[in-house]
Amino acid sequence: MTRPTAAHSTLHVSAGVLLLSALLALSGCRQGSDDGTDGVDDRPSAAAFDVAEALSHADPAPYSAAVTMTTTVAGSPTVSQGRLNLNGPVTGRLTVRDPRNGVSDMRYTGERAYVRFRQDDGLPGRWNALPVPAGGRVHLGNLTGYAALLAGRPGADKGPERTAGLAVRRLSGTVTTGELAKLDPDVYGDMTADHIRSFDCEIWVTAQGRVVRFERSLVSGDRGPIRTVVTLSRFGAPEETTAPVNP
């Protein structure tokens, strides 16, 4: 099936609605078990930690994680799922389920991004490279930077919780576009272009300083309310990602 607007549509999903671009040190972590505990008993009282200190001591080593991103615009969700290498050049694979464009596969090598759309029979189409400079970036935002920003504010730490079986602390607050100029330049550019002045967010952080969940709510003048939920799990060593080759 031919989709002549593939590049434009994918960019809209990846950079416009999902705000997907460069990830900038998504979150510090220690590589270890898939449950995110790294051998630490995280059940009874592990959430009784100082979240700012945990973030400052997070392991900066590159790692991989299973990532799920759901962005809902006007009640219509776009879901991206896959595995990405983080804390360095962001590479990996995502499958995007978009109500307008159907199902597509994305691959990110750090230099370029590639897309292929699933055909009506479910079989994959041909890989196409997205144009530079738009291609090559996964734009989640600097989640660790957002967490550190909120952790420094009185009242932002809402206390211990559990999410996905992990003991965490939840941070909540508002990030203004002006605060993003140095913290997250790519998101700053997207939001200023859309005339967005701020967004509300909640971030869940483990005792290892690892961001495992992020929720963002904002209002775009063109699209109205936009809600994005990101979850990270099954942490491990970085995985090789190469450019796809069509058969």
Side-chain angles (χ1 to χ4, degrees):
M1 177 177 62
T2 301
R3 296 180 185 258
T5 59
H8 174 76
S9 299
T10 304
L11 288 176
H12 182 73
V13 171
S14 299
V17 176
L18 291 178
L19 295 177
L20 295 177
S21 174
L23 192 98
L24 299 177
L26 176 64
S27 65
C29 77
R30 293 184 177 88
Q31 296 173 17
S33 60
D34 283 348
D35 62 4
T37 62
D38 299 309
V40 177
D41 183 0
D42 213 19
R43 291 191 298 258
S45 60
F49 60 88
D50 184 282
V51 67
E53 183 176 356
L55 287 164
S56 68
H57 288 91
D59 191 337
Y63 68 101
S64 64
V67 178
T68 298
M69 300 172 286
T70 302
T71 294
T72 304
V73 182
S76 181
T78 294
V79 180
S80 299
Q81 292 179 300
R83 192 163 188 88
L84 299 175
N85 296 315
L86 309 172
N87 264 15
V90 181
T91 59
R93 299 171 172 82
L94 292 174
T95 297
V96 181
R97 291 173 171 83
D98 174 32
R100 295 174 307 158
N101 301 307
V103 180
S104 60
D105 299 311
M106 303 291 300
R107 188 174 297 185
Y108 303 88
T109 66
E111 297 179 351
R112 297 294 298 267
Y114 301 83
V115 60
R116 67 178 179 186
F117 282 92
R118 304 283 181 88
Q119 302 179 63
D120 292 338
D121 57 8
L123 296 176
R126 292 183 60 82
W127 286 103
N128 292 285
L130 294 184
V132 176
R137 299 176 303 194
V138 184
H139 197 109
L140 296 176
N142 183 359
L143 302 192
T144 295
Y146 300 161
L149 177 66
L150 295 185
R153 297 179 181 175
D157 185 351
K158 302 304 179 183
E161 294 185 3
R162 295 190 70 81
T163 182
L166 299 176
V168 295
R169 297 192 76 88
R170 178 172 62 94
L171 299 170
S172 180
T174 299
V175 177
T176 66
T177 301
E179 290 173 315
L180 298 177
K182 292 183 178 180
L183 178 65
D184 206 341
D186 291 303
V187 173
Y188 172 79
D190 287 333
M191 292 198 170
T192 53
D194 284 344
H195 306 288
I196 298 170
R197 296 184 177 181
S198 65
F199 62 82
D200 297 325
C201 66
E202 292 188 300
I203 306 173
W204 286 257
V205 183
T206 69
Q208 290 75 40
R210 176 181 294 154
V211 174
V212 293
R213 185 178 178 88
F214 170 78
E215 297 184 6
R216 174 177 56 213
S217 298
L218 56 84
V219 177
S220 168
D222 294 335
R223 298 186 296 273
I226 300 176
R227 174 176 168 80
T228 300
V229 178
V230 179
T231 60
L232 296 96
S233 62
R234 294 165 47 204
F235 302 94
E239 300 179 1
E240 183 180 6
T241 304
T242 58
V245 177
N246 287 309

